[in-house]
Amino acid sequence: MFFKNLTLFRFPKSAAEALGDGLDKRLKKHQLKPCGPLEMQARGWVSPFGRSETELSHQVGHYLLLTLGLEDKLLPPAVVNEALADKLEALKEERGKPIGGRERKRLKDEVLTDLMPRAFSRPGRLNGYFDLKRGWAVFDTSSAKAAEQFLTVLRETLGSFVAIPLDPGESPRSLMTGWLTGAKLPEGFELGNECELKDPADTGAVVRAKKLDLDTAEIREHLKSGKQASMLGVVAEQRSSFVLGEDLTVRKLKFLDIVTEELENTERDSARAELDARFALMTLTLDSTLHRLEDVFRLTRPRDR
Amino acid sequence: MQNRKNSFLKLETPAGRTIKVLTHTHPRARRMSLTVGLSGPKLSAPRGTHPAQVKAFLKENADWLERQLRTLEKQGRKLAPPIPGVRDSMLWRGEPTPVRWDYGVFPSIRVDDAGVMTIALDLEHPEVKLIAQRAVRAFVVSQMKREVARLARIFEPMVGKSIVATRLLPLRSLWGSLSIHGRMTLDLALMLAPPAALEYVVAHEMSHLWIRNHGRRFWQRVEAIYPDYLETRAWLSRQGYGVKAELARWIGAELV
C-alpha cells in the first residue's frame, strides 16, 4: 500500500481533535453503499485492510489511515447519444415533424433512466493519511479534485473539517530552478533524473526531460535562456525518489531499496500485519521529507480561530 | 452591438480629439462600464444593448475619458522597453532603482543594500531581451510570493480566515481578486508600487473572506485591519497605470 503520488493539505490542531474519539462510529454511518440503479456514483468509507475487514480506520502512532471507497457508473456519452438518436428518429417518423428542445431533453432523461441500471460500476479506492501531530493530510493521488472529494466526504462525516491546500511562502519555481543552477539543495535532497522546464510567461514553451542527468549542457542551455523548473526529480535522503511539481504535488513516488529491505526484515504473518508494517515505514519515511518541504517552502500550518 | 462581440467605436470629444474605444459585449454584464487600460479604453455592455445606447453612454462620459487618457500619457504610458546592457532604472517598491547589467551564465537578479538592482545574464545571447524579461518576471514573482505570505500571516489572525492559495499575474486593470473558493489573485505590478499598496490590496482581498461585496460594512472591515486604506487607494487610482505600464515595459507582458 505504498502511496505512489501525494497531494498535500494542512489542517489546524482543532481539526486533529475532530479525528479523535468516536471516529469509527461516524465513519460507519458513511460506509460505502453500492451504487443504486439510478445513481451515477457512490462514495463512502471502506476498510483500509481490504474487502473482508470491518475496521474503517487504522492508526499507527499519530498517523491515521482512512480509505475512501468509490463506485462510478460507466455510461459512455456515445452510447447515450446513439440510443437518443434512435428514439428521436422513431418519434420524428411517427409524428412527421422535428422534435423540439424540451422533448429532446425529456427523451434524454428517459434514455439515461433506461441505461443506468444496465451500466457497469467501476470500483476504486483512495487512501489518505492524517499526521495528527503536525497537521498534514496526505492523499494517494496527484489529482487535487480527487483529494477534494476525499475531504468532502470527510466533512460530511464529521460535520466540518478545516483543511487547506498548500500555499508556499517561497516560490517553488524559483527554488527548484536555483537547485538546477547550482544553489545548495536542502540537506538530504539530491537531484533526480527528470524535470520540466517552462517559460515564465503562462503561454510560454515547455521542455520535458526524462532519464537524463540534470547537470548537463542540454539542460543548462534551457536555464540560460531563462526557463524555470516547474517539475523536478528529487531523491530524498537516499530513501525515496519523486518528482516535485511547482504546486508541491509529489508524483512518481518510489521507496528505494534501503526502505524495502527494511520491510523484508520484519515479520509479517498476515495481510493486516503487512499493511501495518508498510504504513508505519511509509509514514516514518515521509515524515522527514514533509518536514524538509515545510522548512524549504515555508508551508505554515493553519492556526485555530 | 448585437451582431459583433468586439468592435471599435470612434468618439469625438468636446476638446476636438478622436478616441477609438473597444466595445465588447459580455453575457454576464448587467450594465455598461467604461475602463481605461494599458491597451486603451474599453466599454463592456450587456448582450443586446442597442448601439445608440452605447454611443450615448460614451458621449456622456467623454470628458472623464479624456481626463483619464491625459493622466495616463503624463504617467509615461508606452515607455520604451529596456535594452540589456544599457543602464536604466526600474520602479521597485515605489523607488526608482538604478539597474546595472552584469554577465552571468544563468539569469539572476538581486537588489543590494545600496538599492542597486543587478541583472546578470548572458548579454551576448541572441535572445537576450526575452531572457531579461523572463528573469525580471521570475524575480518579481519570487519576491512577491515571500511578501504576500508575510502579509497573510499578519492579517490572518485579524480576519480569522485563511487564503487557500495565491496566484500572481500581470493584470490589465484590476489589482487583485478573491475567488469564491478563497483563492487570491494579485497583480505583479504591486511589487513596483510602494509597499503600502501591496499591504492594502492584500488587506482588501482578505476582507472579502468576511464580506464578498463592496458595501459599507466591507469598508468598515477594511479600515479595521488597514486604517490608512483611503490614502493608499487614492494613490493606486492616481499612479496605478504608471506602475502597470512600468511592469509591462520590463516583462513585456500581455496583460490579462
Side-chain angles (χ1 to χ4, degrees):
Chain A
M1 60 81 60
F2 283 147
F3 286 14
K4 289 185 179 117
N5 300 291
L6 308 178
T7 296
L8 305 165
F9 280 70
R10 305 233 50 188
F11 57 88
K13 272 186 185 162
S14 57
E17 284 157 20
L19 289 167
D21 294 339
L23 177 68
D24 275 356
K25 261 189 194 168
R26 289 176 171 186
L27 293 176
K28 275 215 166 78
K29 280 186 190 165
H30 288 81
Q31 224 167 332
L32 178 71
K33 292 182 187 95
C35 219
L38 293 177
E39 278 177 329
M40 276 308 279
Q41 63 170 35
R43 302 280 181 266
W45 304 109
V46 294
S47 174
F49 296 105
R51 294 160 63 99
S52 52
E53 301 285 340
T54 52
E55 274 176 68
L56 295 178
S57 66
H58 178 58
Q59 191 162 350
V60 176
H62 52 87
Y63 302 105
L64 174 74
L65 175 67
L66 299 178
T67 304
L68 181 71
L70 322 156
E71 264 192 31
D72 289 290
K73 281 269 172 72
L74 294 177
L75 198 52
V79 175
V80 177
N81 291 343
E82 190 63 27
L84 180 63
D86 286 347
K87 273 206 165 190
L88 284 172
E89 192 71 36
L91 205 64
K92 195 178 161 188
E93 269 182 28
E94 190 186 308
R95 292 185 186 171
K97 61 175 186 177
I99 309 301
R102 196 173 292 173
E103 185 79 345
R104 183 186 287 265
K105 199 167 174 284
R106 192 186 60 78
L107 281 174
K108 191 171 181 180
D109 287 343
E110 254 182 51
V111 168
L112 281 174
T113 316
D114 183 37
L115 290 178
M116 257 202 283
R118 289 189 276 153
F120 282 114
S121 285
R122 181 173 53 194
R125 292 163 70 86
L126 175 59
N127 287 315
Y129 81 81
F130 297 83
D131 179 343
L132 304 177
K133 198 167 146 194
R134 298 207 169 94
W136 288 100
V138 182
F139 304 103
D140 184 11
T141 174
S142 59
S143 150
K145 195 178 161 194
E148 285 284 3
Q149 270 189 9
F150 190 112
L151 284 170
T152 304
V153 180
L154 188 63
R155 284 179 189 126
E156 281 166 12
T157 307
L158 300 176
S160 85
F161 184 78
V162 178
I164 59 167
L166 303 183
D167 192 17
E170 292 284 347
S171 159
R173 257 197 203 194
S174 296
L175 280 180
M176 293 196 297
T177 308
W179 299 343
L180 277 176
T181 55
K184 204 179 161 202
L185 270 89
E187 206 186 322
F189 277 25
E190 287 167 41
L191 286 182
N193 58 3
E194 190 169 339
C195 76
E196 182 185 86
L197 305 175
K198 264 188 188 169
D199 188 323
D202 292 332
T203 51
V206 181
V207 176
R208 290 193 183 97
K210 284 179 185 176
K211 298 177 191 168
L212 184 73
D213 181 1
L214 299 182
D215 191 20
T216 56
E218 288 166 274
I219 298 291
R220 275 200 296 272
E221 273 309 310
H222 287 299
L223 294 168
K224 275 186 203 170
S225 69
K227 290 199 184 66
Q228 293 206 307
S230 54
M231 281 194 196
L232 185 65
V234 173
V235 177
E237 289 151 346
Q238 299 288 335
R239 293 176 69 83
S240 63
S241 70
F242 51 84
V243 177
L244 185 63
E246 61 180 322
D247 55 355
L248 299 181
T249 301
V250 172
R251 292 178 176 86
K252 299 185 185 177
L253 174 65
K254 277 184 198 147
F255 293 93
L256 302 182
D257 290 349
I258 194 165
V259 177
T260 45
E261 275 165 20
E262 279 173 34
L263 194 68
E264 278 159 22
N265 298 335
T266 58
E267 283 187 18
R268 292 122 42 218
D269 47 8
S270 66
R272 176 180 278 265
E274 170 90 24
L275 181 129
D276 188 64
R278 279 179 175 260
F279 181 56
L281 194 60
M282 180 183 76
T283 47
L284 281 175
T285 308
L286 288 178
D287 186 66
S288 60
T289 305
L290 294 182
H291 195 58
R292 190 75 64 209
L293 292 178
E294 184 177 20
D295 275 355
V296 174
F297 295 104
R298 297 203 287 136
L299 307 167
T300 49
R301 186 178 184 180
R303 291 178 205 164
D304 285 312
R305 310 295 168 214
Chain B
M1 290 294 288
Q2 284 103 329
N3 302 327
R4 291 164 66 185
K5 207 179 168 200
N6 281 321
S7 59
F8 281 96
L9 270 180
K10 276 186 183 169
L11 172 71
E12 300 284 340
T13 66
R17 185 174 168 174
T18 309
I19 302 170
K20 260 175 94 178
V21 182
L22 175 70
T23 55
H24 163 83
T25 55
H26 196 283
R28 288 199 304 275
R30 284 184 294 178
R31 62 185 80 85
M32 282 187 277
S33 69
L34 184 60
T35 52
V36 184
L38 289 172
S39 53
K42 182 178 156 187
L43 186 143
S44 292
R47 206 183 270 165
T49 310
H50 195 277
Q53 278 177 294
V54 175
K55 276 181 191 161
F57 181 75
L58 267 180
K59 221 169 184 179
E60 229 171 78
N61 292 289
D63 279 342
W64 176 85
L65 187 57
E66 194 161 16
R67 273 202 309 279
Q68 290 296 316
L69 288 173
R70 270 207 208 107
T71 317
L72 265 183
E73 279 153 14
K74 268 187 208 162
Q75 286 172 3
R77 187 180 153 221
K78 287 183 185 166
L79 297 166
I83 302 165
V86 177
R87 274 178 179 270
D88 206 321
S89 85
M90 179 184 177
L91 205 56
W92 182 248
R93 313 252 56 202
E95 299 288 335
T97 306
V99 173
R100 203 169 66 84
W101 301 88
D102 200 356
Y103 183 84
V105 180
F106 302 113
S108 69
I109 299 182
R110 63 172 200 281
V111 181
D112 61 26
D113 295 339
V116 177
M117 182 180 283
T118 306
I119 304 180
L121 37 79
D122 182 357
L123 290 167
E124 281 152 24
H125 197 287
E127 290 193 339
V128 64
K129 205 173 144 191
L130 189 64
I131 296 172
Q133 287 174 350
R134 288 169 178 166
V136 172
R137 186 178 177 137
F139 174 73
V140 177
V141 170
S142 65
Q143 297 294 308
M144 191 166 176
K145 193 100 202 165
R146 198 176 295 166
E147 195 57 20
V148 171
R150 185 184 71 79
L151 292 171
R153 274 201 303 278
I154 294 172
F155 291 125
E156 260 176 28
M158 301 185 209
V159 177
K161 287 180 182 179
S162 310
I163 288 291
V164 167
T166 39
R167 219 159 61 111
L168 310 174
L169 294 170
L171 301 175
R172 190 192 299 270
S173 57
L174 290 178
W175 291 107
S177 62
L178 187 82
S179 79
I180 193 80
H181 305 293
R183 286 189 178 85
M184 180 165 66
T185 303
L186 295 171
D187 185 10
L188 280 181
L190 287 165
M191 278 305 272
L192 276 59
L198 180 61
E199 287 165 17
Y200 158 65
V201 177
V202 172
H204 178 120
E205 298 310 334
M206 288 188 71
S207 300
H208 278 310
L209 291 169
W210 277 324
I211 298 162
R212 294 278 166 182
N213 57 36
H214 285 111
R216 193 169 49 85
R217 279 175 58 235
F218 168 78
W219 291 112
Q220 282 170 355
R221 291 280 198 172
V222 174
E223 193 172 14
I225 64 167
Y226 195 79
D228 298 333
Y229 83 96
L230 279 175
E231 203 181 304
T232 317
R233 198 173 64 165
W235 189 93
L236 283 172
S237 331
R238 275 197 320 270
Q239 311 287 338
Y241 283 116
V243 177
K244 282 177 185 279
E246 175 74 346
L247 179 78
R249 180 170 92 90
W250 279 93
I251 69 170
E254 283 290 319
L255 300 176
V256 291

